[in-house]
Amino acid sequence: MAPRGSPIVKICGLSTEDTLDAALDAGAERVGFVFFPRSPRHLALARAAALAARARGRAAIVALTVDADDAALGEIVAAVAPDMLQLHGREAPERAAAVRARFGRPVIKALGVSTAAEVAGAAAYRGSVDEILFDAKPPEGSALPGGNGVSFDWRLLAALDLPVPFMLSGGLGPCNVGEALRVTRAPAVDVSSGVETAPGVKSPELIAAFVGAARGATPPP
């Protein structure tokens, strides 16, 4: 558990026991499993269920999907029993609200942003989701909506007044998460590619370093 005043840390795209254990041992409050076949981090349901069982009670389990329909979400919920659902596609506020109502889980909505207007657009999700995750817009031609290792101008969040809690993602790693937290005062951070040695290959050492760096960040007075 994070010390008082420290950000919540989520390690996303986990796929092996040793990297999951590294996240849990380091004290990450959330662990994320990806259900998107085009991603190098995609998991089969049986594999995700086994990892979720290993993590249950030690961290919140987050299932990440991209424009999934109710049938696919139902299979994930039945097999994995996630604590939270992360919607990382083009889901509108109405769709996000419907998912939250149907499956009875808190919903995180990821938004790719690069401008102040896009950040302000998050207000449309008030009442529909439990958290907003601000991510960098994917590079032109990218097949993935997230996990691309690119960041955005953190100053866009410096004076953010949002009616729901938010998380910061996009291009974060052990070397820059402290500065990102100082600029944004984000209450939570999310990392995937920033703790990998190759796409989809997590490093236990980088995971531990990321959590440690996040814990050591001190926001400005």
Side-chain angles (χ1 to χ4, degrees), residues 39 41 66 88 135-136 138 142-149 192-193:
S39 171
R41 305 165 188 97
V66 180
H88 217 103
D135 199 355
S142 174
L144 303 178
N148 293 297
S192 186
S193 61

Side-chain angles (χ1 to χ4, degrees), residues 9-176:
V9 176
K10 173 173 169 276
I11 309 296
C12 198
L14 292 160
S15 60
T16 65
E17 286 81 359
D18 63 333
T19 55
L20 174 62
D21 289 348
L24 296 172
D25 291 344
E29 289 82 11
R30 297 177 184 176
V31 292
F33 304 129
V34 174
F35 302 93
F36 184 51
R38 282 188 281 169
S39 171
R41 305 165 188 97
H42 171 69
L43 290 179
L45 289 177
R47 180 68 176 146
L51 291 173
R54 193 179 184 94
R56 201 168 311 281
R58 297 185 64 190
I61 297 159
V62 183
L64 184 157
T65 63
V66 180
D67 297 316
D69 60 19
D70 284 353
L73 288 169
E75 290 180 353
I76 292 166
V77 169
V80 182
D83 299 296
M84 309 179 80
L85 296 172
Q86 181 173 322
L87 308 181
H88 217 103
R90 299 177 180 273
E91 300 90 355
E94 296 78 13
R95 174 58 179 159
V99 168
R100 184 168 66 165
R102 181 178 179 89
F103 295 102
R105 262 77 171 174
V107 167
I108 304 166
K109 178 66 186 92
L111 297 176
V113 298
S114 61
T115 68
E118 290 166 339
V119 170
Y125 287 86
R126 180 177 186 173
S128 300
V129 302
D130 298 274
E131 293 182 29
I132 293 290
L133 184 148
F134 289 110
D135 199 355
K137 274 194 165 180
E140 191 72 26
S142 174
L144 303 178
N148 293 297
V150 295
S151 60
F152 62 96
D153 186 351
W154 300 323
R155 293 172 296 179
L156 294 172
L157 305 183
L160 185 65
D161 183 17
L162 194 65
V164 294
F166 75 96
M167 300 180 70
L168 176 64
S169 189
L172 298 179
C175 294
N176 67 2

